Amino acid sequence: MDRKRIAGPEKSVVPLPAPAPPVNPQTARPDKRRRDQIRSLYTKTGSVTQANGSAYVEAGNIKVLCAVYGPRQSSSKNSSSNTGTLQCDFKYAPFSGGKRRGYAKDDQEKEFSLVLEQALTPAVRLEQYPKSTIQAFVLVLENDGSLASLAAAISCAALALANAGIEMNDLVTACAAGYFGSAVCLDPTLDEEAVQSGAVLLSYMPVLNEVTHLIQTGEIAPAQCVQAVELCIGACSQIHTVTQEALLAE
Amino acid sequence: MSGDAATGGFVLDPDTFKKIQPLEYHRRFLEQDVRADGRPLRMFRALEFRAVPNIDLPALCSPQFRPGPPGELTQSLSTFLEHIISSGHIIDLDTLCVASGRAVWVLYADIICLNYAGNVLDAAVAALMAALRNVRLPDVTVGEDADADAAPVISGKPSKPIHLSRSLVSSTFGVFDKQLLLADPTNEEEALVSSSVSVVLDDKDVVCGVFKPGGAAASKALIDECIAAARERTSRLVEALGGLGK
């Protein structure tokens, strides 16, 4: 038990939602998007004034905030390294959606922290920051699709790194896609995610035309996987124009 | 045996009697149609209604915080918030009742600081009050057989706001050089002030909490000055907003 926070009652349950019509993105998506259409984006940089750099990204209902601290001197353990390290921390806010989450990081958040680190590290010129650590803290304020919020977190963290003046090869953007029968839909929401048979998350450097990270889950025909990757690459380029504009507007 | 002084002058106190003869102890009460805790036989215990406020100062919001469990400042702020909500009777408890004696709403208020620019308590109280005013509780139905594990189901009826009996405003002052009061200190000032005093008032000019977390000792005159300044600020705020969000 967490004695350092105010605990609720021993047992509390979330009320079950009223029965809703089933979601079938193959025929029509609940928010009336096309299959290859991502949610509309809003980006803002510099909202965390205490940080060296920060960014806020909204994609539909998804709200993600990222603050970057550093480069700071590494702890003595790895201070002899000739390249810097990028530490990423991914956390859902307790109120981000559905059942209330605890403050301690759960398995999914630990995994997503790792994905974030792997997706961004190839873009950051860590050789420029010997003996230093760069920390990126991501907080998801509202979650509407777990892979989609991770994708938004990757784009948001890249924007925050750029805002902090960290040297990078390119501005990484990311996009998720879900498989629904024979259909591939970009940027699935939480309701759609519940009925998908598999998913793809792609992180991409649009200017260099290089993929930094790719996860594919679920059993799917190779052609359909290729189609999903191509759709994601297209969407990543669209997101790149938005994040680039946010940097130009600074 | 118990309390029968006439037989031998030996009196067994109730607690000892309860320990050695629990069955007989309870039977004595039940013979009188009342239970050991004073309830009638068929009365359920009242369920505890509560709001659970937690302030979080994550590493994201400032370089002065590190990842991990909350520090002492965070813990004391959360506890203070819980005190002012419960002792101030902010929430009308009847509106949090789902099914009398069986289910009540628990309000979890998770307050996360996104950018620590000093004086987090005033911002937290303002955010908490705004969020409480914005609460819409869905209409739920609880199963008739009181299965404690079954979750209530949301019905199609419109959701309802909760009734707040008062609105709170927190005003924090930093004490600089043991005498100068700085209203709403920034994080730079917070590092330099000798102590800070927060005064929480409601919209009817009632003091609902005063918080002075350590620091240098402050005279009573200084505390009085803080309360006076907080009252003036709160009344101006109430006037400007035409009542606090009502």
Side-chain angles (χ1 to χ4, degrees), chain B residues 39 98 120 167:
Chain B
R39 275 182 296 155
V98 177
V120 71
S167 278

Side-chain angles (χ1 to χ4, degrees), chain A residues 29 147 176-181 183-188 192 196-200 224 228 232:
Chain A
R29 302 185 73 172
L147 270 194
Y179 300 123
F180 304 90
V184 177
C185 292
L186 279 182
D187 201 6
E192 290 173 329
Q196 74 188 10
S197 55
V200 166
Q224 212 178 340
C232 284

Side-chain angles (χ1 to χ4, degrees), chain B residues 152-226:
Chain B
V153 181
I154 295 176
S155 69
K157 289 185 203 156
S159 53
K160 284 193 289 255
I162 56 171
H163 182 255
L164 301 181
S165 46
R166 53 180 66 180
S167 278
L168 301 180
V169 176
S170 168
S171 309
T172 298
F173 302 90
V175 185
F176 193 77
D177 278 350
K178 288 196 172 183
Q179 48 184 344
L180 211 57
L181 286 188
L182 304 175
D184 193 10
T186 63
N187 56 327
E188 288 161 13
E189 289 165 345
E190 261 179 4
L192 304 172
V193 295
S194 54
S195 66
S196 80
V197 180
S198 302
V199 182
V200 181
L201 287 154
D202 80 349
D203 43 346
K204 294 173 197 75
D205 202 25
V206 177
V207 178
C208 296
V210 180
F211 187 54
K212 182 189 171 299
S219 64
K220 186 187 167 289
L222 201 71
I223 302 284
D224 288 347
E225 206 182 320
C226 289

Side-chain angles (χ1 to χ4, degrees), chain B:
Chain B
M1 180 178 170
S2 89
D4 198 354
T7 52
F10 174 67
V11 181
L12 200 61
D13 70 279
D15 281 347
T16 317
F17 181 49
K18 181 182 171 184
K19 243 171 219 161
I20 59 176
Q21 289 284 0
L23 183 68
E24 197 56 33
Y25 173 82
H26 282 281
R27 190 170 280 149
R28 294 274 173 94
F29 279 104
L30 300 178
E31 278 164 4
Q32 309 290 321
D33 281 336
V34 69
R35 286 153 73 177
D37 60 1
R39 275 182 296 155
L41 271 58
R42 297 285 177 94
M43 189 182 159
F44 288 86
R45 273 172 292 184
L47 287 172
E48 201 186 339
F49 306 92
R50 57 186 302 195
V52 186
N54 271 301
I55 292 189
D56 192 26
L57 300 174
L60 171 141
C61 74
S62 166
Q64 71 190 80
F65 303 115
R66 292 280 174 267
E72 282 175 7
L73 169 74
T74 319
Q75 291 177 48
S76 62
L77 286 173
S78 296
T79 313
F80 179 67
L81 269 192
E82 194 198 18
H83 285 323
I84 60 170
I85 295 176
S86 56
S87 68
H89 304 290
I90 307 299
I91 305 161
D92 183 0
L93 297 181
D94 287 341
T95 58
L96 289 188
C97 184
V98 177
S100 185
R102 300 224 306 281
V104 290
W105 286 105
V106 182
L107 300 179
Y108 290 93
D110 293 294
I111 304 158
I112 301 184
C113 178
L114 301 178
N115 187 25
Y116 189 87
N119 189 13
V120 71
L121 181 65
D122 288 7
V125 170
L128 177 64
M129 292 314 298
L132 285 175
R133 279 194 289 272
N134 193 39
V135 168
R136 296 290 179 276
L137 294 175
D139 189 76
V140 293
T141 46
V142 189
E144 277 306 309
D145 49 333
D147 181 3
D149 289 325
V153 181
I154 295 176
S155 69
K157 289 185 203 156
S159 53
K160 284 193 289 255
I162 56 171
H163 182 255
L164 301 181
S165 46
R166 53 180 66 180
S167 278
L168 301 180
V169 176
S170 168
S171 309
T172 298
F173 302 90
V175 185
F176 193 77
D177 278 350
K178 288 196 172 183
Q179 48 184 344
L180 211 57
L181 286 188
L182 304 175
D184 193 10
T186 63
N187 56 327
E188 288 161 13
E189 289 165 345
E190 261 179 4
L192 304 172
V193 295
S194 54
S195 66
S196 80
V197 180
S198 302
V199 182
V200 181
L201 287 154
D202 80 349
D203 43 346
K204 294 173 197 75
D205 202 25
V206 177
V207 178
C208 296
V210 180
F211 187 54
K212 182 189 171 299
S219 64
K220 186 187 167 289
L222 201 71
I223 302 284
D224 288 347
E225 206 182 320
C226 289
I227 294 178
R231 285 178 65 185
E232 195 200 324
R233 184 228 174 181
T234 307
S235 66
R236 265 190 286 122
L237 210 62
V238 172
E239 200 180 329
L241 299 173
L244 290 166
K246 280 184 184 161

